[in-house]
Amino acid sequence: MKKRILSAMMLSTVVLSAGASTAISTVHADTDSDIAAQDAKISQAKSESAKAQGQVDTIQGQVDSLQAKQASNKATLEKLQKESADTSKEITKLAGSIKERNGSLEAQARSAQTNGTATNLLSAVLDSSSLTDAIQRVTAMTTVANANKSMLDQQKKDQEDMQAKLKANQAKYSEATKLQESMAAQAQELNTQQAQLKVAQLNYQASITTAQDKKQSILDAKAQAEAAAKAAAAAQAAQEKAQADAQAKADELAKAAQAQQQQTAAVAQTPASSTSQDNNSSSSQTTGNTTPTPAPTPGTSGSNPYPWGQCTWGVWQILGGNMPTYSGNAADWVAYANSGLAVGTIAVFPPGVDGAGGFGHVGVVTSVSGNSFTVSESNFNGGLGIISSRTIPSTAGVSFIRP
């Protein structure tokens, strides 16, 4: 990039020198020798204009290539957002099934303890009024035990599926973030190339202009275009430095993030239930300890684990790191919902709700008025890393997490 800018500036200097030389000469020649000299300068200007036109064509090709890349990246980003939104819906459905199944198992356990129905198999047989009654009792107890075991097995499978989908969505989220950063860099490069294109076009115009007044106005415009090109190049350099700093910080946190994922996977693999048979009393009992959604690990204000500038990064910054580390995209945080609307909670917006994108959105509730509330958020108004506030008129479709 720097070489292209330097080449453009050098060519601008050559053409400008040729134009300046032409401007110094008198347009109206009094003698044949003056006319011949002017014709020679005009011929030289035409030669320089051909070189400038070649530069125009080259830079235009680079601009067209960057625009094509932007269009392709935009299509890829939209595809990733759609896939992530679909996966988030599946995660939400699994979380609901797990919660409902937990309630059913807890209700059965409370019923057994309260009503004293957890009798052993021998008592069921001895208390029977007939052989038929005994068979019916034993069959009923076996059916309940088998049903509970199936329910607990399904609970374990859903837990593992949800963890797998969370991991897959996190990968899509990281890929989309890198794609957004790439598109931002391409946009900055496109601005620089377009600024250089304008300089080259003005160079071309200046090289074929012979009238002094028009030559001066074009040279003034060319100077402004060169200043804009330098400013665009400086802005691009600043952006590249910011991205390099962000990447260095991300690399520093990569090991911590990997350890967190391994811990979450280990919790997901813990058996969700156990079924035991008491041989001494010949009783059949089913006990289950369901594993809830893995508890997020506490964080520290000095190490933000989320992609720089995103809404999840903003929540961490706003709370000063006084929050656990939640897995998945913003929309996936619905699995950790544990509160109603309150100041200090994290608002979770599914895709499409109150302006949330394909990966969902999160923000911190800073004030509440009835069902209306105000959130502080990042990457909503102003782009990556910009923290802003807005008021949401209703809690419809929004979940809340008490960190």
Side-chain angles (χ1 to χ4, degrees):
M1 176 58 67
K2 292 181 179 179
K3 290 182 178 179
R4 289 200 294 269
I5 295 175
L6 182 59
S7 298
M9 294 180 65
M10 292 177 65
L11 182 55
S12 300
T13 303
V14 172
V15 177
L16 179 59
S17 299
S21 176
T22 302
I24 294 174
S25 299
T26 305
V27 177
H28 301 286
D30 295 330
T31 64
D32 292 341
S33 60
D34 290 337
I35 293 175
Q38 189 65 25
D39 287 342
K41 291 176 181 178
I42 291 174
S43 177
Q44 181 182 359
K46 289 181 178 180
S47 176
E48 295 294 340
S49 73
K51 295 179 182 179
Q53 182 60 49
Q55 186 193 30
V56 169
D57 295 340
T58 299
I59 297 179
Q60 182 64 59
Q62 294 170 348
V63 170
D64 294 341
S65 177
L66 282 174
Q67 289 175 337
K69 287 182 181 178
Q70 286 284 66
S72 176
N73 287 343
K74 182 178 179 182
T76 302
L77 180 59
E78 290 175 351
K79 179 181 178 182
L80 281 173
Q81 289 176 334
K82 182 180 183 303
E83 291 176 352
S84 179
D86 292 341
T87 304
S88 295
K89 291 178 181 178
E90 294 176 3
I91 292 172
T92 301
K93 184 177 179 180
L94 283 173
S97 298
I98 291 171
K99 182 178 180 181
E100 181 179 354
R101 201 175 293 114
N102 277 341
S104 176
L105 291 171
E106 290 172 358
Q108 289 187 26
R110 286 195 298 270
S111 176
Q113 294 173 358
T114 302
N115 300 328
T117 58
T119 58
N120 57 44
L121 181 60
L122 182 58
S123 296
V125 174
L126 293 177
D127 294 340
S128 302
S129 60
S130 65
L131 179 59
T132 300
D133 185 26
I135 293 174
Q136 290 177 344
R137 289 190 180 193
V138 172
T139 301
M141 294 176 69
T142 303
T143 300
V144 171
N146 290 337
N148 283 345
K149 183 178 184 305
S150 297
M151 188 181 298
L152 291 170
D153 289 342
Q154 186 62 41
Q155 189 81 327
K156 178 181 178 181
K157 182 179 182 301
D158 284 355
Q159 287 280 4
E160 293 173 348
D161 288 347
M162 187 173 72
Q163 289 302 318
K165 291 182 185 299
L166 281 171
K167 184 176 180 181
N169 238 14
Q170 184 67 44
K172 292 177 182 177
Y173 185 50
S174 299
E175 182 180 354
T177 299
K178 292 179 180 179
L179 188 58
Q180 286 178 324
E181 292 175 353
S182 175
M183 290 175 66
Q186 288 176 358
Q188 185 61 57
E189 184 177 359
L190 180 60
N191 289 338
T192 302
Q193 293 285 6
Q194 288 175 331
Q196 292 180 8
L197 176 60
K198 187 174 181 180
V199 171
Q201 289 172 332
L202 290 173
N203 282 339
Y204 174 76
Q205 294 177 15
S207 67
I208 61 173
T209 301
T210 56
Q212 183 63 33
D213 53 347
K214 191 172 183 179
K215 167 75 77 175
Q216 187 58 49
S217 66
I218 292 177
L219 290 176
D220 291 342
K222 173 178 172 293
Q224 294 177 359
E226 287 177 336
K230 291 180 180 179
Q236 181 179 354
Q239 171 125 8
E240 290 174 350
K241 183 179 183 302
Q243 290 179 351
D245 293 343
Q247 184 60 46
K249 186 175 181 180
D251 292 340
E252 181 181 346
L253 298 174
K255 292 183 179 179
Q258 184 177 6
Q260 165 62 20
Q261 291 178 354
Q262 293 174 348
Q263 181 180 1
T264 301
V267 172
Q269 294 173 358
T270 302
S273 64
S274 62
T275 302
S276 62
Q277 180 72 34
D278 187 348
N279 294 326
N280 294 329
S281 61
S282 300
S283 64
S284 176
Q285 296 181 344
T286 302
T287 61
N289 296 320
T290 60
T291 302
T293 301
T297 58
T300 61
S301 59
S303 57
N304 193 323
Y306 300 106
W308 180 87
Q310 297 290 351
C311 60
T312 49
W313 173 90
V315 167
W316 181 281
Q317 293 295 110
I318 294 166
L319 293 177
N322 296 316
M323 58 173 284
T325 301
Y326 300 111
S327 299
N329 300 336
D332 301 334
W333 288 18
V334 69
Y336 302 100
N338 61 358
S339 176
L341 173 61
V343 174
T345 58
I346 300 172
V348 183
F349 302 88
V353 175
D354 293 318
F359 298 105
H361 187 67
V362 289
V364 178
V365 177
T366 57
S367 66
V368 177
S369 177
N371 286 333
S372 174
F373 60 99
T374 300
V375 294
S376 182
E377 56 196 357
S378 175
N379 194 24
F380 191 89
N381 288 324
L384 292 172
I386 304 300
I387 295 178
S388 59
S389 297
R390 61 182 173 127
T391 299
I392 311 299
S394 170
T395 59
V398 184
S399 301
F400 300 90
I401 304 172
R402 173 69 67 181

